[in-house]
């Protein structure tokens, strides 16, 4: 067995989550060396295994999202399965779960139960609306979180309906927050301890875990940074403005001569003035309608007309060659085909190739971000269901083959 190298090497993580949010958190941890053990229901596994598209009958979502993880099967509805989970939790640093609030407690696997046997255990709990509050028992997927976060309400054009993102954005962002908060809790447990401003203390003296409550709607709400404050202080309720940025201009998408889309942003005064000079449009500098950001916002449509006219007469390569050397912030709208051939993506190893027993050589997104001394790595794509039962139950718990066969036959694992 191999485990990816990286700054988290030696960290043991139990992943009881399903589908995207918790799996994103543990995927990031696994990329950087944590030993992530994916605990799945016998026979069916994580529902993400059933998400298409499929190649050779295998979910491509699963192969990427669960790379570097080890899969075991365990029936948590059975008392014997619950006891096995407790034995595994004794050795884990983090446990990530994504059941409805109260489910873990019903199985005798809540924070009080698990931290009694492992006081240093950190639990990261994902749910639609959090572990508290009047909505905590509602079923919650990322779609509803995106709607209720305020994000969808301001996405799209003023004359069209709101627009949902084409990726599970709320889930994935919640996963990033979950990984980040898990690392914060680890720091507090292992390095921060109980030190305060008046005490030097010793690193690692705390060794107490804690429970982290991650909802799906709050991380995306947190990214809508000043919106509640704007409403409170100024009565501004953010509305849909298409591709423009409500607080600075210009920033939008424009079409070039060959009808390709291109993004352009000049939302600081220096950048705007440099853009005007690089376009050889001195009127942009002298016209009082565009003298500062407030003026440009007030006259945004007129400014976009000028930019659309100039950009529409040039090809994308011509635009890039003229504007970028002068400091222009501009770039084409990519699809997967364009990304796959872009030399910058390739130079930064953002697309890697993994040899998978089921799919063969498979390209997928690389490890992000880049570490100078302890980089992460991808050792293998998502595992088959229960592929690591013998390894994990053997190395973590010392169970022998006969015991595993018995547990398998009785549907416990």
């Amino acid at each position: 067995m191999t485990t990816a190298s990286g700054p988290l090497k030696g960290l043991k993580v139990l992943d009881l989550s399903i589908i995207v949010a918790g799996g994103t958190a543990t995927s990031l941890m696994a990329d950087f060396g944590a030993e992530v053990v994916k605990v799945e229901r016998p026979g069916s596994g994580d529902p993400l295994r059933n998400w298409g598209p499929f190649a050779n009958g295998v979910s491509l979502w699963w192969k990427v999202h669960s790379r570097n993880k080890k899969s075991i099967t365990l029936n948590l509805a059975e008392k014997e399965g619950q006891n096995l989970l407790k034995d595994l939790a004794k050795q884990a640093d983090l446990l990530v779960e994504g059941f409805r609030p109260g489910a873990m407690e019903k199985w005798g696997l809540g924070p009080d139960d698990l931290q009694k046997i492992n006081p240093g255990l950190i639990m990261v709990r994902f749910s639609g609306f959090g572990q508290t509050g009047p909505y905590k028992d509602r079923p919650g997927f990322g779609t509803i979180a995106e709607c209720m976060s305020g994000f969808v309400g301001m996405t799209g054009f003023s004359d069209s309906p709101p627009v949902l993102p084409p990726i599970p954005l709320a889930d994935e962002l919640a996963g990033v927050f979950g990984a980040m908060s898990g690392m914060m809790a680890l720091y507090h447990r292992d390095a921060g301890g109980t030190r305060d401003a008046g005490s030097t203390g010793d690193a690692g003296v705390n060794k107490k875990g804690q429970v982290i409550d991650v909802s799906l709607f709050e991380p995306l709400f947190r990214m809508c940074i000043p919106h509640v404050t704007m409403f409170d202080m100024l009565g501004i309720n953010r509305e849909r403005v298409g591709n423009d940025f409500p607080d600075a201009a210009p920033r939008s998408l424009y079409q070039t001569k060959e009808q390709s889309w291109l993004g352009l942003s000049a939302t600081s005064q220096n950048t705007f003035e440099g853009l005007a000079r690089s376009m050889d449009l001195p009127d942009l500098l002298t016209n009082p309608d565009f003298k500062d950001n407030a003026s440009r916002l007030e006259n945004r449509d007129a400014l976009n007309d000028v930019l659309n006219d100039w950009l529409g007469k040039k090809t994308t390569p011509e635009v890039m060659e003229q504007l970028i050397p002068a400091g222009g912030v501009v770039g084409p709208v990519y699809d997967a085909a364009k990304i796959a051939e872009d030399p910058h993506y390739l130079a930064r190893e953002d697309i890697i190739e993994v040899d998978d027993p089921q799919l063969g050589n498979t390209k997928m997104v690389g490890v992000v971000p880049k570490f100078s001394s302890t980089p992460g790595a991808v050792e293998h794509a998502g595992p088959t269901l229960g592929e690591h039962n013998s390894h994990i139950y053997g190395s973590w718990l010392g169970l022998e083959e006969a015991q595993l066969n018995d547990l398998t036959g009785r549907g416990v694992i």
Side-chain angles (χ1 to χ4, degrees):
M1 295 301 305
T2 58
T3 302
S5 60
L8 300 183
K9 188 172 184 178
L11 189 72
K12 290 187 173 183
V13 181
L14 291 175
D15 181 359
L16 279 64
S17 68
I18 56 174
I19 311 185
V20 178
T24 297
T26 57
S27 180
L28 294 170
M29 296 176 194
D31 272 1
F32 289 98
E35 183 177 24
V36 175
V37 177
K38 182 77 178 175
V39 180
E40 302 185 72
R41 186 178 180 85
S44 57
D46 190 323
L48 190 67
R49 291 181 179 272
N50 299 318
W51 276 25
F54 301 91
N56 296 339
V58 179
S59 166
L60 298 185
W61 268 94
W62 174 260
K63 282 296 179 182
V64 179
H65 202 53
S66 294
R67 66 193 195 184
N68 287 336
K69 300 179 186 178
K70 297 169 182 173
S71 170
I72 65 170
T73 50
L74 185 60
N75 188 347
L76 296 178
E78 295 285 339
K79 184 67 176 178
E80 201 167 356
Q82 295 160 9
N83 289 334
L84 282 171
L85 193 281
K86 289 179 180 178
D87 290 338
L88 292 169
K90 288 178 184 178
Q91 300 193 40
D93 295 289
L94 285 94
L95 183 147
V96 177
E97 64 99 354
F99 299 105
R100 285 197 190 182
M104 292 286 285
E105 285 81 355
K106 181 183 69 175
W107 292 328
L109 301 173
D112 291 343
D113 303 293
L114 295 182
Q115 290 181 333
K116 185 182 297 181
I117 60 176
N118 181 359
L121 183 68
I122 293 162
M123 291 187 67
V124 184
R125 314 190 75 179
F126 289 90
S127 61
F129 293 95
Q131 303 293 319
T132 61
Y135 301 160
K136 70 180 180 65
D137 294 322
R138 287 187 184 182
F141 281 0
T143 301
I144 308 308
E146 287 149 8
C147 292
M148 295 182 67
S149 70
F151 174 80
V152 168
M154 59 182 176
T155 305
F157 291 83
S158 59
D159 58 351
S160 69
V163 178
L164 286 166
I167 59 171
L169 181 62
D171 298 84
E172 293 177 340
L173 187 58
V176 174
F177 270 66
M180 175 182 68
S181 60
M183 297 306 100
M184 291 178 181
L186 276 170
Y187 173 80
H188 178 261
R189 188 193 75 176
D190 295 343
T194 55
R195 291 177 293 178
D196 56 36
S199 173
T200 56
D202 292 324
V205 298
N206 187 33
K207 291 300 181 184
K208 288 185 178 179
Q210 57 185 300
V211 181
I212 300 167
D213 179 359
V214 184
S215 74
L216 297 187
F217 78 95
E218 287 166 319
L220 191 52
F221 169 66
R222 176 65 177 84
M223 293 294 96
C224 301
I225 297 172
H227 293 172
V228 167
T229 308
M230 291 190 299
F231 179 72
D232 176 58
M233 300 296 295
L234 303 172
I236 297 174
N237 203 357
R238 182 65 80 218
E239 298 177 350
R240 297 189 293 281
V241 293
N243 292 315
D244 292 307
F245 180 46
D247 301 319
R251 180 266 206 179
S252 195
L253 296 180
Y254 306 88
Q255 278 191 302
T256 53
K257 185 177 182 179
E258 72 274 35
Q259 301 298 297
S260 295
W261 288 101
L262 180 144
L264 181 149
S265 179
T267 51
S268 72
Q269 189 64 27
N270 286 340
T271 307
F272 177 75
E273 292 174 2
L275 177 71
R277 286 190 288 268
S278 66
M279 286 180 160
D280 195 23
L281 294 175
D283 288 351
L284 290 180
L285 297 173
T286 58
N287 190 331
D289 287 347
F290 309 136
K291 66 179 181 179
D292 55 26
N293 186 59
S295 302
R296 292 192 291 273
L297 280 175
E298 188 175 345
N299 299 283
R300 180 168 50 203
D301 290 343
L303 176 57
N304 279 336
D305 287 343
V306 173
L307 297 177
N308 273 313
D309 180 68
W310 190 91
L311 293 163
K313 295 175 181 177
K314 296 180 180 291
T315 66
T316 297
E318 289 171 341
V319 172
M320 303 285 283
E321 289 169 10
Q322 183 168 343
L323 299 189
I324 288 179
V329 184
V330 60
V333 174
Y334 275 1
D335 57 15
K338 291 286 182 62
I339 289 172
E341 65 184 18
D342 185 276
H344 193 74
Y345 273 88
L346 299 178
R348 289 183 58 79
E349 299 182 337
D350 290 325
I351 301 174
I352 60 172
E353 196 167 274
V354 178
D355 187 12
D356 181 71
Q358 294 177 295
L359 301 179
N361 290 333
T362 306
K363 290 183 178 179
M364 62 179 65
V365 61
V367 177
V368 178
K370 318 298 183 185
F371 279 50
S372 62
S373 299
T374 55
V378 178
E379 299 290 342
H380 59 81
T384 57
L385 182 62
E387 180 178 338
H388 302 97
N389 276 355
S390 295
H391 172 69
I392 295 301
Y393 286 120
S395 63
W396 282 36
L397 304 185
L399 299 185
E400 298 180 353
E401 185 176 356
Q403 293 173 288
L404 295 176
N405 289 338
D406 175 60
L407 291 168
T408 301
R410 292 188 288 111
V412 178
I413 66 172

